Amino acid sequence: MTVVDSGPTAQRAPGLSSDPVPPGAKVRILETADRLFYSEGIRTVGIDRLISESAVTKATFYKHYGSKDRLIIEYITGRHLKVIDRYNRLAAKARTPHDLIPLLVTGILADIDKPGFRGCPFLNAASEFPDPRHPVREVVSMHRDWTTDVITAILRSIGHPMPGDGADDIVLARDGALSGGYAGDPISSSAAFKRTVARVTSDARA
């Protein structure tokens, strides 16, 4: 697994001056990339567009990220960290593991209903980078492994006889709900996802 270095880089494009960096420029660039990469696709958004919509200079962009590839890794890693943070907040609300599952399902269904929803950012990124050895795909794989491990642990804690298999079923159903919710009928996709989760959790013994 490639270790993703999230610290700033001093790399610059050749011939660029070291102009003063506007406050918050690094964050602004990443927020712009997050919005554009998700809504329009990673490969379709060029550096000039990112620079323009972030309201930074080219020198500032390269000071912080060095290349578009570095920014892409920051984007997809940031999405993963946001999911972890969201999970931790939901877990803090849940009194028992049984309470956590409905909270996770509700959160996924809420994502599908949001304006501008464009499917799963990790599946979208994987479709744009077909080489499984690419660093983007490594982050996607890390995220999916983390998701499966979390759900496996929840199912184990509620007494599911085959928590690993149950987690696989739920993750694949979630993939289908996110993809179908964007490309097809969000209502039927969400309903199918809820049915799968209900079936899997009905096997729990605790």
Side-chain angles (χ1 to χ4, degrees), residues 168-181:
D168 288 339
D169 289 348
I170 289 176
V171 170
L172 289 176
R174 182 209 61 168
D175 290 347
L178 294 174
S179 298

Side-chain angles (χ1 to χ4, degrees), residues 147-161:
T147 301
T148 302
D149 289 346
V150 164
I151 297 175
T152 298
I154 295 171
L155 293 177
R156 183 180 295 115
S157 69
I158 65 175
H160 195 284

Side-chain angles (χ1 to χ4, degrees), residues 62-81:
Y62 282 102
K63 177 179 178 64
H64 286 300
Y65 294 101
S67 68
K68 182 183 174 183
D69 287 344
R70 173 66 180 275
L71 180 58
I72 293 168
I73 296 298
E74 292 272 1
Y75 155 69
I76 198 65
T77 302
R79 285 275 176 166
H80 172 62
L81 295 176

Side-chain angles (χ1 to χ4, degrees), residues 44-110:
T44 62
V45 179
I47 288 178
D48 289 343
R49 174 97 180 274
L50 291 164
I51 290 171
S52 174
E53 297 209 16
S54 301
V56 298
T57 65
K58 186 171 290 188
T60 295
F61 177 88
Y62 282 102
K63 177 179 178 64
H64 286 300
Y65 294 101
S67 68
K68 182 183 174 183
D69 287 344
R70 173 66 180 275
L71 180 58
I72 293 168
I73 296 298
E74 292 272 1
Y75 155 69
I76 198 65
T77 302
R79 285 275 176 166
H80 172 62
L81 295 176
K82 288 177 183 177
V83 172
I84 293 177
D85 179 68
R86 181 180 183 179
Y87 169 78
N88 288 336
R89 285 186 281 109
L90 291 176
K93 292 181 180 179
R95 292 177 297 177
T96 69
H98 281 286
D99 297 332
L100 181 54
I101 292 175
L103 290 175
L104 294 174
V105 171
T106 298
I108 292 169
L109 299 183

Side-chain angles (χ1 to χ4, degrees), residues 186-204:
I187 296 176
S188 61
S189 298
S190 297
F193 175 57
K194 288 192 289 185
R195 287 195 299 271
T196 298
V197 174
R199 176 182 57 77
V200 171
T201 54
S202 69
D203 293 335

